[in-house]
Amino acid sequence: MQPHDFQPPEQAGGPADPYPALGGWARAQDATANSPQYPSSPQYPAAPYPGLPQYGPAPYGYGVTPVPPGTPPQRQPRGLSPYGMPARHPWEIPLLVVVCVITTFAMLVALAACIGLVLDGKQPNIYLIILVFAPIVVWFLRGMSYASMRVNGVKMSPTQFPEGYQLVVEAAARFGMAKVPDAYVVLGNGQINAFASGHGFRRYVAVYSDLFEIGGAAREPEALAFIIGHEVGHIAAGHTSYWRQLGMFVAPSLPIIGSSLIRSQEYTADNHGYCNRHVGASGAMGTLAAGKYLNRLVGFDEMADRAAVEKGFFVWISNAMASHPVLTWRMWALRDRSRHDKLFWRPSRPAGAPPAGPYPSSYGEVPALPPKPVP
């Protein structure tokens, strides 16, 4: 089947697919249409731990090995590997090699410059000193960040934020990780964000409290599952390792090249989020676009289609200088799983694809209401 051929309709019985067919676009297949989401077997009995919602098997360390969530769509030739695992963006490793070479060269030049200045009796400037001691700087900052999370963050567990904890366990199992990373909820103060990092052999995920509110049982757990899969994907793809972050030390100072490397990593993490819970992609992107209360009013296809028509030098430079893909391009990539995500040039509608629209109106839709204050 060609990437943009018409595809047969889904079997009845599964949750609605957030990407309805648009003519010849490749559409996502429901992960649970052909099998239960959490199948039981002698090896993996489905025995949820007591006192928690029925989200599936018990997490690591609670007596039962977790069963990964339902297998994501297999009909898309790219974005997911042939084995059902997330694919790495093709530009990530080449850009990483270039940035690591530049970082190593910069550190050697800084070391030689510092030695020359000291021998001449002069004081090296602060930037040269930071480059020379970059291995210590990276180690120290990672340690401080992790320590701050340990003493200030609310650690997810079977008794604290159990829904989020279970989502982290499921994502780790889906990606074949030997150890589930720690997960924390931190005060968001109105910000929408999440990140992954580590120190030593430990890895962790942090989710801002304002983002977590959309992932409770009464809101949009699928969107939070996508976001957590994205962050756990950073860990599974090696983006949080000490040596990688040391090699990328000068990336923020490299225009275009450094930001493009970081964007390629975000696309790789999006592939992990899609692989973990593809039905949550539209809700997650809607939240990034309009916030946690108005995300349901965002037309995913309508916004994604603008990626092919919004053009010009400033659109190009806005994407090229960004650390994260611009949302229209990102939505386009999450919808069209027949090709790798665009990193430098805007996506284009394939020949023979139907015209964009018409789109269903969100007029009259009721956005998610803010939580009521606790008396």
Side-chain angles (χ1 to χ4, degrees), residues 176-212:
M177 298 171 65
K179 183 177 180 181
V180 178
D182 293 336
Y184 297 91
V185 176
V186 297
L187 182 62
N189 283 327
Q191 299 184 54
I192 302 295
N193 198 10
F195 63 90
S197 188
H199 178 61
F201 295 104
R202 293 157 291 189
R203 301 290 182 266
Y204 65 90
V205 170
V207 179
Y208 280 31
S209 58
D210 294 83
L211 181 57
F212 192 84

Side-chain angles (χ1 to χ4, degrees), residues 49-53 158:
Y49 42 86
L52 293 181

Side-chain angles (χ1 to χ4, degrees), residues 23-37:
W25 292 106
R27 60 183 298 192
Q29 183 182 19
D30 172 37
T32 61
N34 300 320
S35 62
Q37 186 175 7

Side-chain angles (χ1 to χ4, degrees), residues 114-311:
C114 283
I115 293 175
L117 290 172
V118 170
L119 292 178
D120 292 340
K122 299 178 181 179
Q123 178 69 33
N125 65 51
I126 187 63
Y127 299 106
L128 292 176
I129 294 174
I130 291 175
L131 273 173
V132 170
F133 290 97
I136 297 176
V137 171
V138 172
W139 173 81
F140 182 81
L141 292 178
R142 285 164 58 90
M144 288 296 295
S145 176
Y146 185 48
S148 176
M149 200 60 55
R150 292 163 61 194
V151 297
N152 293 313
V154 181
K155 190 173 184 179
M156 295 186 196
S157 70
T159 54
Q160 290 186 133
F161 296 94
E163 296 92 347
Y165 175 77
Q166 183 69 9
L167 293 176
V168 175
V169 171
E170 292 171 357
R174 181 70 186 89
F175 305 143
M177 298 171 65
K179 183 177 180 181
V180 178
D182 293 336
Y184 297 91
V185 176
V186 297
L187 182 62
N189 283 327
Q191 299 184 54
I192 302 295
N193 198 10
F195 63 90
S197 188
H199 178 61
F201 295 104
R202 293 157 291 189
R203 301 290 182 266
Y204 65 90
V205 170
V207 179
Y208 280 31
S209 58
D210 294 83
L211 181 57
F212 192 84
E213 288 178 4
I214 69 166
R219 289 284 180 90
E220 295 186 38
E222 303 294 349
L224 185 61
F226 175 90
I227 293 169
I228 287 179
H230 173 103
E231 300 304 336
V232 175
H234 277 303
I235 298 173
H239 299 165
T240 60
S241 74
Y242 168 82
W243 293 108
R244 177 184 281 247
Q245 293 189 356
L246 178 60
M248 294 174 57
F249 189 74
V250 301
S253 304
L254 298 176
I256 308 299
I257 297 177
S259 58
S260 296
L261 169 58
I262 300 173
R263 278 201 319 284
S264 68
Q265 293 185 160
E266 294 300 323
Y267 275 132
T268 296
D270 270 357
N271 286 341
H272 283 75
Y274 184 90
C275 184
N276 182 58
R277 196 67 59 87
H278 71 283
V279 294
S282 59
M285 294 299 107
T287 300
L288 293 178
K292 59 185 178 181
Y293 300 132
L294 301 179
N295 59 343
R296 297 179 185 178
L297 306 184
V298 177
F300 184 89
D301 289 312
E302 185 171 354
M303 191 163 178
D305 282 337
R306 287 168 46 209
V309 298
E310 301 287 358
K311 55 186 177 181

Side-chain angles (χ1 to χ4, degrees), residues 297 360-366:
L297 306 184
S361 175
S362 63
Y363 181 77
E365 293 285 338
V366 179

Side-chain angles (χ1 to χ4, degrees), residues 1-11 17 19-30 73-77 274 335-338:
M1 181 176 294
Q2 296 301 314
H4 300 290
D5 285 347
F6 287 96
Q7 300 190 23
E10 302 296 342
Q11 297 180 3
D17 196 312
Y19 313 121
L22 295 177
W25 292 106
R27 60 183 298 192
Q29 183 182 19
D30 172 37
Q74 299 295 319
R75 291 185 291 177
Q76 285 69 28
Y274 184 90
R335 182 182 63 181
D336 182 10
R337 305 305 292 170
S338 66

